[in-house]
């Protein structure tokens, strides 16, 4: 693959993305803490510890500044803000206001995620997203977030990867609440789509009252490439089926009309891109007639996910052909505990973004996943995605070499020959 210098346009924003539950620690009132208590986190690590970001906002914000990030994607923890239905915690709200203010003071544009896989136990116990009341609960919470934090925020993600939440939680059963029910998957999707659309409209209604006349609202979609294992009709059919059911139907319903002038529920499309799956048709109804795996012999990360940068080009190109909207890469990164290939991963994926832009696609931002090692859901803290190493006993942070590479990219909006020599070769 090509390794050559390239640059990104002047207005292009680079930053990092995080999620509240994965970094904050200190909260036990959510579905992920219960999942941990029930013994489902593979390495037994405790999300109520995570990387103690709640107490280290100043230190972690200083890292963002040190790396020259132009923007930062962060989330709020619903169970902290609304620990009981209808009761809002002023301290938690003040904490998030303080964090957002620090970012603004440092000239870092915040992109705020309202919902990222995690919710209070009272919400879980009423059936979570399966309950018809989930929509009104989510909207009530969202209204508080927007009214109380909205004068500090222009850019919003209503929800992160609703497809992954529902597939892992309700089809594969490997995430909370650990059910296997395709019927529930569709029910949850219906509720999340309605909730997103109403939140989109709500944010547009409230923000101008707060002095933010042009909010930008979207969803962070998990998009993968699904390629058929062979040219056989059955494999091709299954690959298309996965593509449509696990992502196409979410993007279309949450974005709205693909033409100009139609009804729309997004101002940008957020893309979380990591990898590709090779799809085989398997004549076995018990496993849904399909199996997904990494390409044999392909380079993979510590979790066995194929490293496939062209896939980013392909999924973004696919979106750009359908929707006349700006695209933000809201997550992209890799699990690499030795930091052996992270710099190369960053180079390869940013190179694809450079190609997309050269080809006329409106990609405006890139958020690397993620700032520090953290609580990686069911994998726990042993799966290390951070630009910054964390010693979870002492909570000491130490930037990896890839962090220095990424910081230089942020500062220059470019990769130079010298940087290639220093970090890639
Ligand atoms: C994405 C999630 C994010 C993180 C990365 C590795 O699917 O949105 O929270 O876990 O994967």
């Amino acid at each position: 693959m090509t390794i050559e210098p390239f640059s990104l346009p002047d207005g292009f924003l680079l930053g990092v993305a995080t999620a509240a539950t994965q970094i904050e620690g200190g909260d036990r009132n959510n579905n992920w803490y219960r999942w941990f208590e029930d013994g489902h986190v593979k390495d037994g690590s405790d999300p109520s510890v995570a990387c103690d970001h709640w107490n280290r906002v100043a230190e972690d914000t200083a890292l963002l500044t040190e790396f020259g990030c132009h923007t930062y994607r962060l989330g709020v923890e619903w169970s902290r803000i609304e620990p009981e239905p209808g009761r809002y915690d002023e301290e938690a709200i003040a904490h998030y206001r303080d964090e957002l203010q620090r970012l603004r003071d440092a000239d870092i544009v915040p992109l705020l995620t309202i919902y990222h896989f995690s919710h209070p136990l009272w919400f879980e116990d009423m059936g979570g997203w399966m309950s018809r009341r989930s929509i009104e609960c989510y909207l009530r919470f969202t209204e508080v977030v927007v009214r109380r934090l909205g004068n500090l925020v222009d850019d919003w993600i209503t929800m992160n990867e609703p497809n992954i939440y529902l597939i892992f939680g309700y089809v594969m059963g490997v995430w909370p609440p650990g059910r296997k029910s395709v019927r529930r998957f569709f029910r949850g999707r219906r509720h999340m789509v309605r909730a997103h659309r109403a939140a989109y409209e709500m944010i547009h209604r409230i923000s101008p009252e707060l002095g933010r006349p042009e909010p930008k609202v979207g969803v962070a979609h998990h998009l993968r490439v699904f390629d058929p294992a062979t040219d056989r009709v059955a494999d091709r059919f299954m690959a298309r089926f996965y593509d449509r059911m696990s992502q196409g139907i979410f993007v279309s319903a949450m974005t709205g009309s693909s033409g100009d002038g139609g009804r729309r529920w997004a101002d940008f499309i957020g893309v979380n891109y990591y990898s590709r799956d090779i799809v085989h048709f398997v004549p076995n109804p018990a496993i849904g007639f399909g199996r997904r795996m990494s390409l044999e012999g392909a380079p993979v990360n510590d979790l066995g996910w194929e490293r496939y940068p062209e896939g980013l080009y392909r999924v973004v190109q696919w979106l750009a052909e359908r929707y006349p909207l700006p695209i933000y890469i809201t997550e992209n990164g890799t699990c690499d505990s030795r930091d052996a290939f992270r710099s190369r991963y960053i180079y390869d994926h940013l190179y694809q973004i450079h190609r997309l832009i050269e080809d006329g696609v409106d990609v405006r931002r890139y958020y690397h996943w993620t700032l520090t090692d953290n609580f990686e859901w069911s994998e726990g803290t042993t799966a290390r995605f951070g630009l910054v190493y964390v010693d979870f006993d002492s909570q000491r942070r130490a930037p990896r070499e890839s962090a220095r590479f990424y910081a230089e990219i942020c500062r220059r909006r470019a990769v130079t020959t010298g940087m290639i020599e220093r970090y890639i070769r």
Side-chain angles (χ1 to χ4, degrees):
M1 224 181 317
T2 353
I3 306 191
E4 58 186 16
F6 66 87
S7 55
L8 296 162
D10 276 347
F12 191 86
L13 300 189
L14 292 138
V16 297
T18 61
T21 319
Q22 292 180 272
I23 58 173
E24 285 179 354
D27 182 60
R28 296 182 168 178
N29 182 27
N30 66 65
N31 53 330
W32 278 93
Y33 185 74
R34 179 180 286 171
W35 192 243
F36 153 74
E37 270 192 319
D38 291 346
H40 296 301
V41 174
K42 288 184 196 160
D43 62 6
S45 43
D46 177 347
S48 79
V49 178
C51 39
D52 193 35
H53 171 73
W54 189 259
N55 298 308
R56 288 163 203 268
V57 171
E59 185 182 350
D60 291 346
T61 309
L63 287 170
L64 298 174
T65 312
E66 185 187 322
F67 299 161
C69 291
H70 316 127
T71 179
Y72 176 48
R73 176 181 166 209
L74 72 164
V76 289
E77 183 72 78
W78 185 352
S79 51
R80 281 189 189 275
I81 293 184
E82 192 181 2
E84 292 161 37
R87 182 172 77 75
Y88 303 98
D89 187 310
E90 287 303 323
E91 246 174 76
I93 292 170
H95 176 100
Y96 288 122
R97 286 194 62 82
D98 170 70
E99 181 161 13
L100 289 164
Q101 189 61 57
R102 280 172 196 271
L103 294 169
R104 300 209 77 98
D105 293 346
D107 270 332
I108 297 170
V109 176
L111 168 61
L112 193 69
T113 311
I114 297 171
Y115 181 82
H116 194 133
F117 301 154
S118 170
H119 47 244
L121 285 176
W122 60 261
F123 183 82
E124 182 81 342
D125 290 337
M126 71 177 225
W129 285 101
M130 297 306 117
S131 162
R132 212 171 294 131
R133 288 182 40 231
S134 58
I135 304 172
E136 71 183 69
C137 292
Y138 166 85
L139 289 173
R140 192 177 61 197
F141 161 64
T142 295
E143 178 159 359
V144 170
V145 171
V146 177
R147 288 205 183 277
R148 302 299 304 279
L149 307 180
N151 68 329
L152 297 168
V153 180
D154 289 306
D155 305 321
W156 300 88
I157 288 174
T158 57
M159 42 183 84
N160 181 71
E161 301 187 349
N163 60 338
I164 293 296
Y165 169 77
L166 293 168
I167 292 167
F168 282 22
Y170 291 92
V171 179
M172 297 162 67
V174 294
W175 277 14
R179 296 271 158 72
K180 286 193 185 184
S181 155
V182 173
R183 202 174 48 81
R184 287 199 168 96
F185 165 82
F186 284 107
R187 187 181 170 82
R189 172 181 169 275
R190 215 164 49 236
H191 293 159
M192 293 180 101
V193 166
R194 283 194 207 145
H196 159 70
R197 289 179 175 182
Y200 174 85
E201 280 163 9
M202 179 197 286
I203 296 169
H204 277 276
R205 202 173 56 244
I206 297 176
S207 287
E209 297 170 18
L210 305 171
R212 299 269 164 200
E214 283 181 57
K216 301 275 178 287
V217 186
V219 170
H221 292 284
H222 185 103
L223 298 181
R224 321 173 64 76
V225 169
F226 291 100
D227 276 336
T230 70
D231 232 12
R232 281 171 32 219
V233 177
D235 288 339
R236 282 191 282 134
F237 172 82
M238 269 328 278
R240 269 220 305 283
F241 177 79
Y242 273 118
D243 183 61
R244 178 114 192 88
M245 286 299 141
S246 68
Q247 47 198 31
I249 58 173
F250 286 85
V251 175
S252 56
M254 291 178 158
T255 307
S257 164
S258 52
D260 273 323
R263 193 87 186 265
R264 192 124 343 112
W265 292 281
D267 304 306
F268 63 87
I269 304 184
V271 174
N272 296 355
Y273 174 79
Y274 289 90
S275 186
R276 136 168 100 172
D277 286 335
I278 302 298
V279 181
H280 300 252
F281 171 79
V282 183
N284 177 359
I287 59 164
F289 297 105
R291 180 170 294 134
R292 306 179 294 144
M293 39 185 61
S294 287
L295 183 70
E296 242 184 78
V300 295
N301 73 8
D302 293 356
L303 296 174
W305 305 358
E306 183 186 351
R307 306 195 314 255
Y308 180 58
E310 293 87 348
L312 178 58
Y313 187 96
R314 289 173 60 190
V315 297
V316 172
Q317 185 64 262
W318 181 91
L319 286 172
E321 279 165 14
R322 280 163 188 78
Y323 299 100
L325 286 173
I327 289 165
Y328 298 174
I329 309 307
T330 37
E331 282 180 29
N332 171 247
T334 195
C335 185
D336 175 14
S337 62
R338 294 183 305 120
D339 206 38
F341 46 81
R342 185 175 286 102
S343 294
R344 181 64 198 262
Y345 184 99
I346 293 172
Y347 172 86
D348 286 340
H349 287 78
L350 282 175
Y351 186 77
Q352 297 300 324
I353 291 174
H354 155 72
R355 278 184 60 210
L356 285 158
I357 295 172
E358 294 274 288
D359 293 346
V361 178
D362 188 8
V363 189
R364 297 199 188 168
R365 299 187 186 189
Y366 173 86
Y367 292 87
H368 188 74
W369 184 273
T370 183
L371 180 62
T372 61
D373 291 338
N374 63 28
F375 174 75
E376 176 50 35
W377 310 116
S378 280
E379 302 292 336
T381 50
T382 35
R384 293 180 181 267
F385 278 86
L387 290 168
V388 176
Y389 166 86
V390 174
D391 171 345
F392 289 98
D393 295 326
S394 65
Q395 294 293 355
R396 185 181 59 86
R397 275 100 164 113
R400 297 188 160 104
E401 186 184 72
S402 54
R404 284 188 279 280
F405 178 48
Y406 191 59
E408 222 173 308
I409 299 177
C410 291
R411 270 196 300 278
R412 298 175 189 261
R413 286 193 173 84
V415 177
T416 62
T417 320
M419 289 160 72
I420 291 173
E421 292 306 325
R422 254 172 295 136
Y423 298 103
I424 308 289
R425 292 214 198 274

